[in-house]
Amino acid sequence: MTSIPPIPAERLPQLLRRMPKAELHIHIEGSLEPELIFAMAQRNGVAIPYASVDELRRAYAFTNLQSFLDIYYAGASVLITERDFFDMAWAYLEKARADNVVHAEIFFDPQTHTARGVAMETVIHGLHRACEQARQQLGVSASLILCFLRHLSEVDAFETLEQALPFQDKFIGVGLDSSEVGHPPEKFAKVFARCRELGLHLVAHAGEEGPPAYVWTALDLLKVERIDHGVQSSRDPQLMRRLAQDRIPLTVCPLSNLKLCVFPKLEQHNIRELLDAELMVTVNSDDPAYFGGYLNENFEQTFAATGLSAAQAWRLANNSFEASFIGPAHKRSFRDRLDAVFAEFA
Ligand code: ADE
Ligand code: ZN
């Protein structure tokens, strides 16, 4: 759609909910709702240091990334069986369907589980089965991206890759997540080079809390195809020009940035600045069970706080398809569905 028809402002929230979109930055362990944490803790006999769902939810008051990660890894400790991984992913995919997410590229953190004695096969089979069922029963396409934990060593990442390679047909790429500051991308240059040789897609968290320098090294040393977050890039004009020129997608997560105090208020989020600089921005939920909302909440609250327009909504949704790892025919068909919804609202 080259020109977006005028759409009355009061219909924008409904349009945001209705428009088809892809989600490219969702940690599946971050979709584990407190109710499911308690149910799995009980059925697996795992002790958790919270008396109730409400008490656990009250602990979700974060001051920075690390304060969140400590609780997020504790929550993931209830995942033991293949059924647990399936149930977690299925619950997310049903929510995604309700938000008109037509395609999802889902991160998972195997080291969080293998370090507790859960087999790689258990993790990958449970998640993959949910993705297959979503394609058949929900009409949502979904694929998996294996993330290395950057607070651990590169040797550990190599061991994780070895354990995952027998299941290489069940994930499309690798990413890099966990504690950013003090763990620059270059720490993982060799393992990313190996993944590149293996034909895997490459992404990395960079510039969430860390400096623009981490975005540069993620691009130039790791050779990633997308930057997860990347919001700190606006501190470096030369980097902004590079991101625009090379059409490097940024998977921005507004409610995450708010809850982890990257921006003090959603009104002060720099998404408009990134869009105005012609960057390929997408909107994503990151860890929706912890940050107060799935994808549509991210769109609605961000648009309400920053006053973005219907034309920018179209661009964000179209970027989500363009930035995804699906083929050109799928991209075209999702874009046609997007245009059809916008035409309905005109
Ligand atoms: N793991 C889960 N969520 C994350 C985030 N926002 N940043 C880094 N690692 C994460
Ligand atoms: Zn993330």
Side-chain angles (χ1 to χ4, degrees):
M1 194 168 269
T2 42
S3 75
I4 306 301
I7 288 164
E10 66 275 13
R11 301 196 70 201
L12 189 51
Q14 200 195 346
L15 174 62
L16 294 171
R17 289 192 295 273
R18 274 282 315 282
M19 66 182 190
K21 48 189 84 74
E23 172 138 72
L24 307 179
H25 186 160
I26 157 81
H27 301 263
I28 201 63
E29 293 88 350
S31 74
L32 198 52
E33 292 286 345
E35 289 78 5
L36 215 42
I37 291 180
F38 268 80
M40 288 181 187
Q42 197 162 31
R43 79 187 184 202
N44 292 330
V46 176
I48 43 172
Y50 299 93
S52 66
V53 165
D54 284 346
E55 192 184 312
L56 178 55
R57 262 217 178 83
R58 276 197 295 278
Y60 295 178
F62 312 116
T63 50
N64 56 23
L65 174 59
Q66 193 59 51
S67 68
F68 154 69
L69 289 172
D70 294 341
I71 289 193
Y72 162 85
Y73 293 129
S77 70
V78 302
L79 295 156
I80 309 283
T81 65
E82 187 181 315
R83 176 186 163 200
D84 298 335
F85 289 93
F86 173 88
D87 287 352
M88 170 172 66
W90 184 250
Y92 162 69
L93 287 159
E94 284 192 311
K95 292 218 166 64
R97 173 70 198 87
D99 277 359
N100 289 306
V101 172
V102 292
H103 175 71
E105 294 177 4
I106 300 174
F107 296 145
F108 67 109
D109 285 343
Q111 286 154 297
T112 307
H113 315 300
T114 52
R116 297 180 290 112
V118 177
M120 181 67 81
E121 181 178 3
T122 303
V123 178
I124 295 184
H125 278 168
L127 299 177
H128 186 257
R129 197 156 56 79
C131 293
E132 286 297 300
Q133 189 169 307
R135 195 185 307 272
Q136 290 157 11
Q137 295 184 11
L138 304 176
V140 174
S141 69
S143 32
L144 297 170
I145 295 178
L146 180 159
C147 283
F148 300 118
L149 298 180
R150 69 201 303 158
H151 68 272
L152 301 177
S153 69
E154 190 178 47
V155 169
D156 207 314
F158 264 115
E159 279 169 18
T160 302
L161 179 63
E162 279 308 311
Q163 290 165 12
L165 282 184
F167 315 104
Q168 200 187 336
D169 59 325
K170 296 187 172 57
F171 59 99
I172 60 165
V174 298
L176 186 63
D177 65 1
S178 192
S179 321
E180 185 182 10
V181 174
H183 301 284
E186 46 270 39
K187 183 175 162 186
F188 295 92
K190 293 192 195 75
V191 74
F192 268 67
R194 176 74 188 120
C195 290
R196 194 157 173 255
E197 281 172 5
L198 289 164
L200 289 160
H201 285 293
L202 309 178
V203 301
H205 284 53
E208 178 182 13
E209 288 183 339
Y214 286 17
V215 179
W216 282 110
T217 50
L219 293 173
D220 290 337
L221 298 180
L222 300 191
K223 304 199 183 300
V224 299
E225 297 157 83
R226 296 197 296 246
I227 295 288
D228 295 312
H229 293 293
V231 291
Q232 301 299 334
S233 304
S234 63
R235 291 159 46 194
D236 180 342
Q238 202 186 336
L239 176 58
M240 292 287 275
R241 285 193 291 276
R242 164 79 184 277
L243 293 168
Q245 263 160 23
D246 289 356
R247 293 172 53 81
I248 306 290
L250 299 189
T251 62
V252 172
C253 307
L255 288 180
S256 164
N257 294 154
L258 178 68
K259 292 291 153 61
L260 301 188
C261 307
V262 173
F263 297 97
K265 295 181 121 197
L266 211 45
E267 287 76 2
Q268 288 160 359
H269 198 283
N270 65 357
I271 188 165
R272 179 188 289 279
E273 183 184 350
L274 301 173
L275 284 166
D276 287 348
E278 299 297 326
L279 267 54
M280 196 192 279
V281 176
T282 67
V283 170
N284 305 271
S285 69
D286 206 6
D287 300 284
Y290 292 89
F291 299 150
Y294 287 77
L295 193 48
N296 281 357
E297 275 296 316
N298 272 272
F299 271 103
E300 284 187 62
Q301 292 193 35
T302 303
F303 274 65
T306 62
L308 295 179
S309 66
Q312 285 164 320
W314 186 91
R315 193 170 142 202
L316 287 164
N318 191 51
N319 284 350
S320 75
F321 303 135
E322 285 300 316
S324 74
F325 295 133
I326 55 180
H330 271 114
K331 287 183 185 178
R332 260 196 311 278
S333 112
F334 287 144
R335 185 180 172 141
D336 288 346
R337 285 166 68 177
L338 179 63
D339 285 348
V341 169
F342 269 71
E344 264 178 49
F345 274 76

